Amino acid sequence: GAGLAAGTRATYQSHALPEVLRDVAGSVVILGRVSSLPRIVDDEMRFELETTGIVAEGKAIDYQGRVRVFVRGSIDTPFTSGRIEPGDLIRAWVDLRHPEPVRTPGGFDQLEWARREGLHAFASCKNERLVQVTRKSMAGPTLLDRARARLKDSWRHVRDPLDRAVTASMVLGDDGALDRDTREEFRAAGLLHILVVSGSQVAALIIGLRRVLPPSLRIAWSGCLLECLVLIAYCLLAGAENSIVRATVMAMAFAVAVRVDLNRGGANFLAASALVLLAIRPLDALDPGAQMSFAATLALVTYAGAAARRLEGTRAPGFLADSVAATLVATVAVSPLTLMHFHRFSLVALPANLLAAPLAVLLLYGSLATALLDSVFGPAASGAGALCGLAAESLRFVARQAAALDPDWRGP
């Protein structure tokens, strides 16, 4: 593990920005290929660029690295939809900066985060007009692109724009339409993970699948194959970001463990999935997000089943018992890590998550049902969309009330 981490750090350092750029004052011209789908968050466009060169003070510098570009916008001048797409070659006038190391104990270590993500620099562009597309990508939309577009189009049945934005963010990780206030309310309430495609959505999928599968398939390898195919399809549809990939791999390990012997093999298969993921991204061992993902999954494998059975003993519906039990054990499991990494303890996070969990599950399945019904029977899709809107509005209400009650206790 130490050797893999050292090799990753050395590879990262080999692509660091040339030292001559540290003394450059003002903007430079950066050339490269867009490698990610541009996202608009809080009037700012963000995308990643595989650079091929930099022009600074009239001198061309051969440089290959990965740069995250931030393009400023404003409410008065919205960004042009579809102008910049993955695969486009661009030229942009930007201010470059190196990732900064942590400056205060317990503060955010931007340099370490950039190493994990493979980002070698950040570039700020003052206006979209300073980004010039020199050659458009010849590749057309993929099957996944068309599927995402189809999903988003079906959510027109969710009438309220903010409810529609919460739906897109939770199901596909598309948070471009979220406003700053909504995002801050979810963060203060300890519900921000709901707006990020990660383990909570994957857990809801696996719980739902295992509830609808016949008992014979729940222990059969054909059922394992079906679960894995659904999980992989959703991971790709949601963009295959690091958080959803981690959750998908761990859920697949859980599916295999069930068929082998959950009582003896669950933790072992989880450890095996952790070894595989850390072999690919060794620096994630120190990543708070990765640590919280593994802690939550271990709690689910170890304690969620017993907690769900206790809730069912109180005559709670099975699916509700599963979702509440999963939320309870996962929230408790990650609380120490939240306190250690973020120096924050919240009294409202646990009750807010318990209230939000069934609503999030309802929104996830309702949004998928809306997309399915929209392609076969429009009037029924309108009803499903109204249900999604109600679930999203209820989630926003829980986040708003919990954020207002949160005393925001932070440590040093």
Side-chain angles (χ1 to χ4, degrees):
L4 289 172
T8 302
R9 288 173 180 271
T11 302
Y12 176 86
Q13 191 59 37
S14 68
H15 292 280
L17 282 176
E19 287 297 321
V20 295
L21 291 176
R22 289 186 180 272
D23 300 325
V24 173
S27 299
V28 300
V29 178
I30 189 169
L31 313 171
R33 184 185 300 274
V34 178
S35 60
S36 69
L37 186 68
R39 297 172 55 197
I40 299 173
V41 180
D42 296 335
D43 298 323
E44 183 179 67
M45 181 191 293
R46 306 173 183 179
F47 59 87
E48 290 169 14
L49 190 70
E50 298 291 341
T51 61
T52 56
I54 297 173
V55 180
E57 298 179 340
K59 298 179 181 178
I61 302 171
D62 185 25
Y63 172 70
Q64 294 182 346
R66 194 156 161 248
V67 177
R68 177 163 291 181
V69 181
F70 300 86
V71 183
R72 298 173 193 166
S74 66
I75 299 177
D76 299 329
T77 55
F79 292 102
T80 306
S81 176
R83 179 175 174 268
I84 301 173
E85 297 177 325
D88 290 351
L89 295 180
I90 69 166
R91 175 190 293 111
W93 285 258
V94 301
D95 294 322
L96 276 179
R97 55 188 176 88
H98 296 72
E100 295 290 339
V102 63
R103 297 187 181 277
T104 58
F108 175 61
D109 193 337
Q110 187 185 64
L111 177 59
E112 193 62 33
W113 174 82
R115 283 198 189 105
R116 289 195 297 267
E117 300 302 317
L119 295 171
H120 305 99
F122 302 102
S124 299
C125 184
K126 296 179 180 179
N127 193 285
E128 186 185 13
R129 289 176 295 180
L130 297 177
V131 180
Q132 178 184 359
V133 178
T134 58
R135 191 174 73 185
K136 293 292 293 182
S137 172
M138 300 303 295
T142 65
L143 178 61
L144 285 173
D145 294 332
R146 290 194 291 269
R148 290 190 198 100
R150 184 72 186 84
L151 270 175
K152 293 179 183 179
D153 180 64
S154 71
W155 295 334
R156 68 186 183 278
H157 296 287
V158 181
R159 300 300 182 187
D160 188 277
L162 274 179
D163 292 340
R164 194 159 54 243
V166 169
T167 302
S169 182
M170 198 201 83
V171 180
L172 291 180
D174 182 5
D175 58 354
L178 282 175
D179 65 312
R180 190 187 302 271
D181 291 340
T182 299
R183 190 179 290 108
E184 287 302 319
E185 286 171 353
F186 273 79
R187 179 180 289 109
L191 299 175
L192 189 62
H193 62 93
I194 290 178
L195 298 180
V196 179
V197 180
S198 59
S200 56
Q201 289 85 340
V202 171
L205 276 179
I206 200 73
I207 289 172
L209 275 172
R210 292 192 60 76
R211 278 287 173 182
V212 300
L213 285 178
S216 59
L217 283 181
R218 294 179 192 173
I219 57 174
W221 287 106
S222 55
C224 177
L225 177 61
L226 176 61
E227 291 175 12
C228 291
L229 288 176
V230 170
L231 290 169
I232 291 172
Y234 180 66
C235 177
L236 294 174
L237 189 65
E241 297 287 340
N242 293 330
S243 58
I244 185 75
V245 169
R246 280 197 302 263
T248 299
V249 171
M250 289 186 284
M252 292 169 64
F254 172 80
V256 173
V258 168
R259 275 74 185 183
V260 176
D261 185 349
L262 178 60
N263 292 327
R264 293 183 298 178
N268 289 331
F269 277 92
L270 176 61
S273 68
L275 289 175
V276 171
L277 290 168
L278 292 176
I280 298 172
R281 289 172 54 96
L283 297 182
D284 277 359
L286 301 178
D287 178 24
Q291 293 175 7
M292 294 170 76
S293 293
F294 287 118
T297 306
L298 181 60
L300 292 174
V301 170
T302 309
Y303 301 112
R309 287 190 292 272
R310 283 181 175 271
L311 289 173
E312 287 187 51
T314 64
R315 298 184 179 180
F319 193 81
L320 178 63
D322 284 341
S323 61
V324 171
T327 301
L328 175 63
V329 299
T331 304
V332 171
V334 302
S335 294
L337 292 171
T338 302
L339 186 60
M340 181 178 72
H341 288 296
F342 306 113
H343 312 281
R344 189 176 188 276
F345 178 75
S346 174
L347 292 175
V348 303
L350 180 57
N353 275 277
L354 290 175
L355 290 172
L359 296 171
V361 172
L362 178 62
L363 180 57
L364 174 63
Y365 283 100
S367 63
L368 297 178
T370 301
L372 177 63
L373 292 171
D374 184 59
S375 61
V376 294
F377 188 56
S382 297
L387 182 63
C388 288
L390 180 61
E393 175 59 34
S394 300
L395 273 174
R396 290 169 50 210
F397 177 79
V398 171
R400 185 164 54 251
Q401 297 305 316
L405 294 172
D406 182 27
D408 195 20
W409 289 349
R410 296 178 184 269

